[in-house]
Amino acid sequence: MDLEKISAELRPRRPWEAVDLGTSLFRRHMGSLLLFWSLSVLPVIFLLSLLLWSHFHILTILVWWLKPLFDRVPLYYMSRALFGSKVTLREFFKELPRLWTRRLFDALFLGRLSLKRSFVMPIKELEGLKGVDYRSRRSDLDRAGSSEAQWLTSLCLLLEHFFAFALIYFVSSSLPSTAPPDPQAYMGFLYEVMMTGELDLELWFVIGVFCAWIAAMTLTEHLYVAGGFGLYLNARTQLEGWDVELSFRRIASRVSRVRSGVVASVVLGMVLTVAVLSPVPAVAQEVETDGPKERIERILADEDFEVHVKTERVPVSSGPSFGGSFGFLGFLGALGPILFWGLVAGLVAWAILLIVKNRQYFVPQPGTSSKITRDSKATTILGMEIGSESLPSDIVGAARKAWDEGRARDALSLLYRGAISWFVDQADMPIEESDTEHDCMRRVRSESSHEAEVGYLEELTRQWIGVAYGRVMPEQSAMTGLLENWPFARERKTTP
């Protein structure tokens, strides 16, 4: 390992600044890292999906369990790219079998659930230490960033689910025939997969969720490994003084260049003096007196080499010794804050899910809505007029005529406007002019007690979205059912 070839500035950093150093390394080599990941990890996941798709819960658990092996791919590349060594595909595939089979039991069982896995993985994989040497080395480096490594693990776990849900939400929002999922539905999907292993969902939806999770895992695992690698580099810099060693090497290089120039100047001066005047032993004597010892003392007297002393007071208990159990108690003390914040995060998530599940209690009911809401009813929705004066008296007849003339969009538009108008005027639904089709459907489901009308509106909304946004014409049977099963009576209510 040649420190002079390192591509990063080595200096003692704060732990989270060291994590940022790792993420910067990932951004610099993102293209190559994603290429190596796509050629090694993604084919394995694809093969496991073909073999275990009928047992989806086993597939997801197995992919998650193999993460320590997958993480070795970006660590292998970054550890070499940091020192200016460009890894070729041939070298990578030659190393890959050993990369995934070395210390397999330790990676998948002994250290699989360690919260400091990203921090200790370079010690195992790059330094190759085992047993007592590994434990001693880990103990030396732990003081420089082990707690931040635990927080990094928790943060990346949350980011993985956040990115997966964000991708699912983005894709589903772009499709006209589907409604965006909510966090409750996403958590319900995860619970159903992990606990029951049964999926009562469409195949395309399951494939989409799985691909979103794999994409999110690809991004977060690279961030996870890069952050842990940054903490590892910072710990070694503080422990071994890499920055000081580099400074000495630069000074030695400068001194070497200066000394070469001085020697050349002295030799040239002596030659000229001997040739022109006479020998000058005094000059030679003067050069000899400024020997290596004096130059070293002059260099060490510089302020850059001022010794800084850091004193730490370690309390020593005078009570009874607990022997080997003291380390276990120390582990519990370090685990306490993690358990506490994990409990707080769980309570917050539970409160959010509880509020979402019982959101109908926070929405004014039709019988208790304010007079302002009743008086300011929507007259347009999605740019379409829904007032009774803008609709024909015989909505079904007009829609049937438009359908027979081949104007499917106009026919469904009349039916949809008439249905929304009935819910606004007759059922007092709090529909607003800014609502979308899905917003209207959600309000009707939560507010209305008219089951037949709600069921009709669901089918009508599905057909209307298909023709309005996807240009998908409804089937003749579906349109006939909508025309013949019109449930909305156009009786105007008298206002008191």
Side-chain angles (χ1 to χ4, degrees), residues 146-457:
S146 60
S147 61
E148 284 75 13
Q150 298 176 12
W151 282 108
L152 178 65
T153 301
S154 305
L155 180 61
C156 288
L157 180 62
L158 294 176
L159 283 178
E160 181 176 317
H161 289 284
F162 173 78
F163 288 149
F165 177 76
L167 187 58
I168 296 170
Y169 192 93
F170 173 76
V171 174
S172 60
S173 300
S174 304
L175 300 177
S177 57
T178 60
D182 54 15
Q184 186 179 7
Y186 179 73
M187 297 303 296
F189 172 80
L190 294 180
Y191 178 82
E192 182 181 5
V193 171
M194 302 303 297
M195 297 301 176
T196 66
E198 299 178 358
L199 294 173
D200 189 16
L201 298 168
E202 297 183 10
L203 178 61
W204 66 268
F205 180 77
V206 178
I207 294 177
V209 171
F210 184 73
C211 291
W213 176 52
I214 296 301
M217 184 186 72
T218 298
L219 177 60
T220 53
E221 286 304 301
H222 282 86
L223 294 174
Y224 177 65
V225 174
F229 187 51
L231 289 172
Y232 166 78
L233 291 175
N234 189 56
R236 290 199 62 176
T237 300
Q238 295 183 9
L239 182 65
E240 302 175 10
W242 279 1
D243 54 331
V244 177
E245 182 178 350
L246 280 176
S247 298
F248 271 118
R249 291 188 180 185
R250 296 190 188 102
I251 292 173
S253 178
R254 290 199 300 268
V255 169
S256 177
R257 290 194 299 268
V258 171
R259 183 168 54 187
S260 300
V262 169
V263 171
S265 300
V266 170
V267 171
L268 180 60
M270 291 176 62
V271 171
L272 292 176
T273 304
V274 169
V276 178
L277 299 174
S278 60
V280 283
V283 175
Q285 182 66 26
E286 181 181 354
V287 174
E288 292 177 0
T289 56
D290 191 12
K293 182 177 180 180
E294 289 75 8
R295 286 197 295 271
I296 293 175
E297 291 178 353
R298 187 171 62 254
I299 292 173
L300 292 178
D302 191 271
E303 60 179 6
D304 292 339
F305 295 95
E306 181 181 353
V307 178
H308 300 276
V309 179
K310 181 179 179 181
T311 303
E312 295 183 0
R313 295 184 179 274
V314 180
V316 179
S317 176
S318 59
S321 174
F322 292 93
S325 64
F326 182 79
F328 178 72
L329 293 178
F331 169 76
L332 291 181
L335 192 61
I338 299 175
L339 295 177
F340 172 77
W341 288 111
L343 179 62
V344 171
L347 291 176
V348 172
W350 174 78
I352 293 174
L353 292 178
L354 186 63
I355 293 174
V356 173
K357 184 177 181 181
N358 300 278
R359 60 184 179 275
Q360 65 272 11
Y361 297 110
F362 303 93
V363 179
Q365 299 298 320
T368 61
S369 59
S370 64
K371 186 177 185 301
I372 296 177
T373 304
R374 290 178 178 271
D375 293 342
S376 58
K377 295 178 179 178
T379 57
T380 59
I381 188 76
L382 299 169
M384 300 183 295
E385 297 287 340
I386 60 172
S388 56
E389 64 278 359
S390 64
L391 295 169
S393 57
D394 184 7
I395 296 177
V396 177
R400 192 187 305 276
K401 180 180 178 182
W403 173 258
D404 294 338
E405 294 175 355
R407 295 181 288 115
R409 181 185 177 92
D410 295 340
L412 286 171
S413 175
L414 281 170
L415 294 178
Y416 188 75
R417 290 164 56 200
I420 297 298
S421 177
W422 186 90
F423 277 107
V424 171
D425 292 337
Q426 305 297 325
D428 289 334
M429 289 291 103
I431 294 176
E432 300 178 1
E433 295 185 357
S434 60
D435 287 347
T436 63
E437 290 92 342
H438 294 298
D439 293 332
C440 295
M441 197 68 249
R442 187 179 68 252
R443 293 181 187 275
V444 168
R445 286 197 194 103
S446 61
E447 300 280 345
S448 179
S449 59
H450 304 78
E451 296 182 359
E453 287 79 357
V454 172
Y456 181 88
L457 183 62

